[in-house]
């Protein structure tokens, strides 16, 4: 029983540290716009008994989305030179 309350206290302390950062985050900081592609690729793997060849198009769509998103993110974070 004592270890359960210790774990609960540790969890509460960890949340107290992270809460400010989490509640004051930017709107899309924890949002992955490519999650739909990731979900579809996993569903394809389940449907096709983990045959990667059958799901190649889903994986490629996810890679393309992720690449575009990271490129846009990098461009938006680059300071404008005057």
């Amino acid at each position: 029983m004592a270890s359960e309350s210790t774990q609960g206290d540790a969890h509460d302390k960890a949340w107290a540290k992270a809460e400010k950062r989490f509640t004051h985050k930017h709107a899309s900081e924890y949002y992955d716009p490519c999650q739909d592609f990731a979900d579809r690729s996993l569903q394809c793997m389940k449907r096709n008994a983990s045959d990667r060849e059958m799901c190649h198009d889903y994986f490629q769509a996810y890679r393309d989305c992720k690449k575009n998103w990271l490129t846009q993110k990098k461009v938006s974070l680059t300071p404008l030179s005057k």
Side-chain angles (χ1 to χ4, degrees):
M1 286 291 197
S3 66
E4 289 179 14
S5 69
T6 304
Q7 288 176 349
D9 293 341
H11 182 269
D12 292 341
K13 288 178 184 177
W15 174 247
K17 287 182 182 178
E19 182 179 20
K20 184 176 180 184
R21 181 168 184 259
F22 185 77
T23 56
H24 294 92
K25 68 179 179 62
H26 295 288
S28 64
E29 187 175 353
Y30 299 112
Y31 172 73
D32 182 358
C34 302
Q35 187 60 47
D36 185 47
F37 291 106
D39 292 342
R40 288 173 189 243
S41 63
L42 291 174
Q43 289 171 356
C44 179
M45 291 287 283
K46 287 179 185 176
R47 271 195 318 268
N48 294 297
S50 299
D51 184 2
R52 292 181 62 82
E53 285 297 315
M54 294 293 291
C55 302
H56 176 73
D57 292 339
Y58 288 100
F59 291 124
Q60 189 60 48
Y62 176 71
R63 283 193 294 269
D64 293 343
C65 177
K66 200 70 158 183
K67 182 179 178 182
N68 290 335
W69 178 46
L70 292 175
T71 301
Q72 290 174 359
K73 191 174 177 181
K74 189 183 295 184
V75 168
S76 71
L77 294 175
T78 304
L80 297 173
S81 58
K82 292 183 179 182

